[in-house]
Amino acid sequence: MILADKIVRLRKQVGWSQEELAEKMNVSRQSVSKWESTNSIPDLNKIIMLAEIFEVTTDYLLKDNIEAPESITDNLENNAIQISLEQAMKYVENKMEMARLIAKGVFLCVGSMVPLFALLAMAETNQLNLTSDIATTTGIVLILVLISIGVSFFIRTNQYESDLALIENEEFELAYGVHSAFKEKLQKFRGTYNLKLSIAISLFIFSFVPLMVGSTVSGSSDVLLMMLIVLLLMIATGIYILIPVSTKYGSYNRILQEGYPYAKKSRRTKRIEKLAAFYWPLLTAIYLGWSLWTMDWGITWILWPVGAILFAALIGLMELLDKDDT
């Protein structure tokens, strides 16, 4: 295979157009077209740049008798599993589907209190002729329904574990061009990741503001209940944003950490996912038990902001213990 054919093959392997390759090489599209049509040959500097971009050796590009690409990053043993671009993309897709299920489950568990508080607020203002007993009973039934649906989302994540095991648990190497393609994807995604991470953290920080404003402007219980609904929705929305974007960022990094089974980022993400699936239903059960025992719904709501801070603290503690073990 001659150089022109190898350039075409490598370019198509990573899914780039001639324009995209030309941009990375700092040349015109016509130059790439001439290379691929054998009308011209790239100079030595361009050969070296092509080898770096496609992560192959210059020998592979220049020697016609070498048909199989030799990776310049091939530091693993020959028995390492090779991951193609399609397999890597499928891994990210499965991780994102799993993250969306977890995010939905957590959102429902945290937001399961919203109907109860809304009904109690309506009972306080005598809307729809609701009594506090009817509002409480109906609200608890809705809580159980929403939590059941949330738990079903957590259970459904098991369907992806076998598909993820190859990359998360095995030693592997990337096929030529995959590393550079995912490195570019990570660079493009970093801006979105930083933006959504900032939004999620801001929602956590400012979630207490509506409640403080409501208690300052009006101390009535119906206003406080409505502000508490806003607090819960802000926390739930922050978590709903945070889980998928963190999972996608971690998945890109996992692909780029080729050759390292059970990588720290992968282990940490899985522990956080399992913690979230256990923590929020447990917190809901504690809240229900405490509220039904005391029947003081105006006090027991404090469990939610405290629980949200505790969840962040538990993640930080996991990080600290992980560092101590290394």
Side-chain angles (χ1 to χ4, degrees), residues 31-263:
S31 296
V32 174
S33 178
K34 289 180 180 179
W35 296 344
E36 295 183 353
S37 60
T38 68
N39 289 328
S40 68
I41 298 175
D43 60 34
L44 181 58
N45 290 331
K46 293 296 186 292
I47 293 289
I48 295 174
M49 190 178 297
L50 285 168
E52 291 176 350
I53 289 176
F54 291 122
E55 296 181 353
V56 295
T57 62
T58 53
D59 281 350
Y60 167 71
L61 292 174
L62 296 173
K63 295 182 179 179
D64 295 345
N65 61 332
I66 301 179
E67 296 294 327
E70 300 173 346
S71 173
I72 60 176
T73 59
D74 187 10
N75 296 320
L76 303 177
E77 297 178 1
N78 293 330
N79 60 353
I81 300 170
Q82 188 172 79
I83 301 298
S84 66
L85 181 63
E86 291 76 14
Q87 288 175 302
M89 292 298 297
K90 186 64 176 178
Y91 168 78
V92 175
E93 290 175 7
N94 287 334
K95 287 291 291 185
M96 289 302 298
E97 289 297 325
M98 191 173 181
R100 291 187 189 101
L101 290 174
I102 293 174
K104 290 176 182 177
V106 173
F107 185 90
L108 287 174
C109 288
V110 176
S112 62
M113 301 295 113
V114 170
L116 174 61
F117 293 146
L119 291 171
L120 288 174
M122 293 171 66
E124 288 287 337
T125 55
N126 296 318
Q127 296 183 35
L128 302 179
N129 295 322
L130 278 177
T131 64
S132 60
D133 291 338
I134 295 176
T136 301
T137 302
T138 306
I140 291 174
V141 171
L142 292 174
I143 287 172
L144 296 176
V145 171
L146 291 174
I147 291 177
S148 298
I149 298 174
V151 171
S152 71
F153 283 125
F154 295 142
I155 294 174
R156 285 166 57 187
T157 60
N158 293 332
Q159 63 185 304
Y160 298 104
E161 290 184 355
S162 59
D163 296 329
L164 301 175
L166 178 64
I167 290 180
E168 292 196 344
N169 301 338
E170 301 294 336
E171 185 176 4
F172 68 92
E173 63 179 349
L174 299 177
Y176 62 92
V178 178
H179 189 278
S180 59
F182 265 79
K183 187 175 181 181
E184 182 181 7
K185 288 179 180 294
L186 180 60
Q187 290 174 345
K188 290 181 178 179
F189 180 68
R190 187 169 281 114
T192 302
Y193 170 75
N194 292 334
L195 175 61
K196 291 189 175 182
L197 185 64
S198 300
I199 293 174
I201 294 174
S202 297
L203 286 171
F204 294 147
I205 294 173
F206 290 101
S207 61
F208 304 100
V209 173
L211 191 60
M212 289 188 295
V213 172
S215 62
T216 302
V217 175
S218 173
S220 60
S221 57
D222 59 318
V223 173
L224 292 178
L225 285 169
M226 296 307 296
M227 292 302 100
L228 183 56
I229 290 175
V230 176
L231 180 147
L232 289 176
L233 290 177
M234 289 179 70
I235 292 175
T237 303
I239 295 173
Y240 189 81
I241 294 172
L242 182 63
I243 291 177
V245 73
S246 298
T247 298
K248 189 171 185 178
Y249 188 78
S251 298
Y252 284 158
N253 278 288
R254 175 60 188 136
I255 294 296
L256 295 175
Q257 292 171 349
E258 58 177 309
Y260 297 94
Y262 302 101

